[in-house]
Amino acid sequence: EAGVTQFPSHSVIEKGQTVTLRCDPISGHDNLYWYRRVMGKEIKFLLHFVKESKQDESGMPNNRFLAERTGGTYSTLKVQPAELEDSGVYFCASSRGLGLSYEQYFGPGTRLTVT
Amino acid sequence: GNSVTQMEGPVTLSEEAFLTINCTYTATGYPSLFWYVQYPGEGLQLLLKATKADDKGSNKGFEATYRKETTSFHLEKGSVQVSDSAVYFCALNRDDKIIFGKGTRLHILP
């Protein structure tokens, strides 16, 4: 079974530009999560999809961030326009169900550098 | 609110040394507790977990015990190997969100 994949692995953009991150969850996993680790800080929850619906987007920092999961398969996270403080590692995770019986499986992350 | 505090790194040890990485948490109710590990170039992997007080999670020689009275979940290993070099994250689960500590980088010298 393939794991969670993320693309690109690393992105360097200038302030004001747009970047789109992609996450492909494990096949059959309805739940998809985005997390972010800003340098020196904790990994923080951004949002949670159940299939194509946003279940919880309480961690999204501001309206420059737009997450989608059309069709309930892969997800994209767009940052527009990017700011310096958006630099960090963006992790995606997926799980088959909700609750403690279902582990969240993480991808390798996308390292975003805004200059 | 819910939060996790873990010892700052980096931690550098010689091979076969004893490892402890301290972790304490603040949470409403009784969350499940986790240790995740991120090896170089890889994603986060669940290392071990404990779901209730006094539970001991273990995996790959690592252990951690859920201590409600001290709100702690310290990670231990009796004899570390070079291959254990990684970043370790203590975490708790609240409403299907995972709340992480800042991570501790571990270097094991041969």
Side-chain angles (χ1 to χ4, degrees):
Chain A
E1 178 177 76
V4 176
T5 57
Q6 294 186 244
F7 183 82
S9 57
H10 193 182
S11 179
V12 181
I13 61 172
E14 293 184 353
K15 176 182 171 181
Q17 290 185 321
T18 297
V19 63
T20 299
L21 313 181
R22 172 170 170 147
C23 168
D24 286 77
I26 293 171
S27 177
H29 282 197
D30 287 341
N31 296 275
L32 188 148
Y33 306 81
W34 283 99
Y35 293 83
R36 173 174 79 166
R37 186 185 190 200
V38 172
M39 182 67 74
K41 300 273 183 84
E42 300 87 346
I43 300 171
K44 289 203 169 177
F45 168 86
L46 296 179
L47 88 160
H48 170 205
F49 283 99
V50 177
K51 297 185 180 178
E52 68 275 10
S53 299
K54 292 176 186 173
Q55 180 79 7
D56 183 348
E57 50 185 331
S58 61
M60 294 287 266
N62 52 61
N63 60 9
R64 295 185 294 103
F65 289 75
L66 175 64
E68 295 180 321
R69 194 182 181 198
T70 307
T73 54
Y74 71 91
S75 174
T76 57
L77 180 64
K78 181 191 287 187
V79 185
Q80 178 182 29
E83 298 289 345
L84 297 177
E85 64 264 25
D86 300 332
S87 295
V89 181
Y90 290 76
F91 292 99
C92 177
S94 72
S95 69
R96 186 173 296 279
L98 296 176
L100 298 174
S101 300
Y102 296 97
E103 180 180 339
Q104 291 187 25
Y105 294 87
F106 283 80
T110 293
R111 180 174 296 279
L112 174 64
T113 303
V114 183
T115 62
Chain B
N2 302 303
S3 65
V4 175
T5 303
Q6 61 184 103
M7 61 190 290
E8 304 243 348
V11 174
T12 302
L13 297 172
S14 297
E15 203 166 24
E16 299 183 4
F18 183 86
L19 168 71
T20 300
I21 301 178
N22 290 335
C23 171
T24 57
Y25 67 91
T26 302
T28 53
Y30 303 105
S32 290
L33 302 175
F34 308 87
W35 278 99
Y36 283 84
V37 58
Q38 185 177 21
Y39 297 103
E42 298 184 18
L44 289 165
Q45 299 175 25
L46 179 62
L47 179 61
L48 54 84
K49 68 179 180 183
T51 58
K52 61 183 187 297
D54 299 325
D55 263 4
K56 178 185 283 188
S58 61
N59 187 24
K60 299 183 179 180
F62 290 89
E63 293 182 340
T65 302
Y66 191 142
R67 301 286 189 200
K68 187 178 71 172
E69 62 278 8
T70 54
T71 62
S72 65
F73 193 55
H74 305 321
L75 183 68
E76 297 182 334
K77 186 173 185 181
S79 176
V80 292
Q81 306 300 312
V82 172
S83 57
D84 293 327
S85 298
V87 182
Y88 292 81
F89 295 90
C90 186
L92 62 85
N93 185 315
R94 212 8 134 219
D95 300 325
D96 285 308
K97 302 174 199 174
I98 299 177
I99 297 167
F100 291 89
K102 290 186 178 182
T104 302
R105 184 173 296 277
L106 175 66
H107 295 289
I108 305 300
L109 304 174

